[in-house]
Amino acid sequence: MPFNSLKDWLQWQESLHPRVIDLGLQRVGQVFSALQPKYNKPVTLTIAGTNGKGSVVAFLESIYLAQGYKVGTYTSPHILKYNERIKINGSPVSDDLICSAFERIDAVRSDVSLSYFEFSTLAALDIFAQFDLDVQLLEVGLGGRLDAVNIIDTDLAIITSIGIDHTEWLGDTRESIGREKAGIFRRNVPAIVGDPVPPLSLRICAEETGAKVSYINQDFHFEKHPDGWNWIGEQVLISNLPSPNLKGEHQYRNAATVIAAITAMQNTLPVDHDALSKGISQVQLPGRFQYIEGKIPVLLDVAHNPQAVETLADFLKENFSHMRVRAVFSVMKDKDIAGIINIIKPLVFDWFCAPLINNVRSAPDFMLQENFSSCSVQLVHTGFADAKSAFLAVNQAAEEGDLVLIFGSFFLVSEYLASLE
């Protein structure tokens, strides 16, 4: 069923499958076998976790590119354009490449129904197969065990921090969520865990699977010093590393996790100290503590669960305690909205609720108001026609010395960056 544009393909995919999220490998695996019957897998690193996945992928991509490798990167969701999900050597692929992949997928899927995310995963793998890559980086969309990227047997698994999110699909405890994340482990395959306190379920799954797991603060750690930082493994010391270009103390943990992965892959994909330093110091990732200078500066962050918001709150206390913070906020209705508000409310002067009018999953005004009321937050502005109206309102209210914080949903950050363009 060929369409004339990427937009048409995506609109059709959104209506094709009865469920927005449909975890499981049988359908997508069946179509992939038909799509790539003689699949020649590049070296594959699979990244799962609640928070930090995007940062870890960005570090890996930046470092491997600095070393001169040919790198394919698959991530989700996107910030501005769908094409950002599928990158070759750091650049989003073209509409034509994606549409051609969709045509091939549609031609072989027969009567198998695929979700929007499954289409994008298959398209990424199909495109990567055309480019003779040295390495492909696959970010898990949701969970791990039943996520579409898990149809590919990884050569190294990474699990970042584990928090409470997507409880409808993954369970409502770190133990149940950890078990799902550990589904990307493979027997005798290296795995790196960047969560300082991983759930017991993850350790048990690692033992049952027979994965060769390295844990942060157990098998590797890092030390900061005035001129940079050092990474220390069991038999390796990497010294005089530059500060990560991604802001926040947690990025040292993410960078250390990445170096553990690169060290484990050193025989397959050698990386020297210069490439490590260059990749860490030049890495870019929109929407994560993204600071936009101006008379009224703006901080953007996609923190949308309590764990991520705790990290954001720490960053605000460390860097902006002298400023009055005015927050523009929106989030999906399945999130722990009260938990988010309670964590960060001592740091926020007033709130502007930004409606995401084209997103049926976003929390409507009345739901946000109920949560603000239950959290005893009073300075809340609502009733805006759309997100752009909320941005305009906060700009009109803000004064010199204020910081505008735009946080929550990826879609909100996307709308703000689109409004700048």
Side-chain angles (χ1 to χ4, degrees), residues 58-327:
F59 277 120
L60 287 166
E61 179 187 59
S62 184
I63 292 165
Y64 280 132
L65 287 176
Q67 187 63 46
Y69 289 118
K70 202 168 187 180
V71 183
T73 309
Y74 175 55
T75 58
S76 64
H78 57 277
I79 294 284
L80 286 174
K81 291 183 68 179
Y82 180 92
N83 311 57
E84 297 163 21
R85 294 175 179 235
I86 307 170
K87 293 193 290 182
I88 302 290
N89 292 339
S91 297
V93 300
S94 67
D95 286 14
D96 287 346
L97 263 180
I98 299 172
C99 290
S100 296
F102 285 159
E103 284 189 35
R104 288 190 291 274
I105 295 163
D106 192 46
V108 300
R109 71 180 180 88
S110 186
D111 60 349
V112 176
S113 178
L114 296 170
S115 69
Y116 180 95
F117 181 77
E118 289 165 341
F119 257 103
S120 64
T121 303
L122 290 169
L125 294 171
D126 187 59
I127 290 168
F128 292 164
Q130 302 171 44
F131 279 87
D132 191 28
L133 300 175
D134 295 307
V135 57
Q136 62 183 8
L137 309 173
L138 306 180
E139 181 189 334
V140 168
L142 180 62
R145 181 176 64 92
L146 298 175
D147 186 85
V149 304
N150 206 31
I151 61 173
I152 305 300
D153 285 327
T154 193
D155 295 298
L156 181 138
I158 300 176
I159 295 182
T160 62
S161 64
I162 296 174
I164 306 295
D165 204 355
H166 301 297
T167 55
E168 184 179 344
W169 296 280
L170 305 180
D172 58 4
T173 67
R174 288 183 80 240
E175 293 298 324
S176 63
I177 293 170
R179 197 172 297 112
E180 292 297 320
K181 307 290 186 192
I184 66 170
F185 290 161
R186 296 293 192 273
R187 180 166 298 281
N188 294 324
V189 170
I192 311 297
V193 176
D195 190 315
V197 190
L200 179 61
S201 62
L202 188 142
R203 291 183 180 271
I204 292 171
C205 287
E207 291 177 10
E208 291 175 348
T209 305
K212 297 187 287 189
V213 186
S214 297
Y215 297 92
I216 196 168
N217 298 338
Q218 176 179 314
D219 302 298
F220 65 94
H221 64 282
F222 66 93
E223 293 175 348
K224 293 175 64 179
H225 55 79
D227 299 320
W229 61 291
N230 301 332
W231 183 91
I232 303 99
E234 289 184 327
Q235 296 179 325
V236 182
L237 167 66
I238 302 174
S239 56
N240 298 320
L241 291 161
S243 299
N245 196 40
L246 302 182
K247 303 307 175 190
E249 286 298 305
H250 64 298
Q251 295 297 359
Y252 285 91
R253 187 175 72 244
N254 288 331
T257 300
V258 164
I259 293 176
I262 285 172
T263 302
M265 296 298 292
Q266 194 71 353
N267 290 337
T268 308
L269 296 169
V271 172
D272 60 33
H273 192 282
D274 286 347
L276 266 184
S277 296
K278 184 178 179 183
I280 290 168
S281 62
Q282 295 184 356
V283 61
Q284 303 276 341
L285 187 62
R288 278 72 163 187
F289 292 178
Q290 183 176 352
Y291 183 74
I292 300 174
E293 293 185 0
K295 185 178 179 183
I296 310 294
V298 176
L299 183 69
L300 303 173
D301 195 58
V302 293
H304 55 262
N305 57 59
Q307 185 188 50
V309 173
E310 282 180 4
T311 303
L312 172 59
D314 289 341
F315 186 69
L316 288 172
K317 284 184 274 193
E318 289 165 12
N319 296 277
F320 301 101
S321 59
H322 60 293
M323 302 180 78
R324 181 170 63 174
V325 177
R326 316 192 80 144

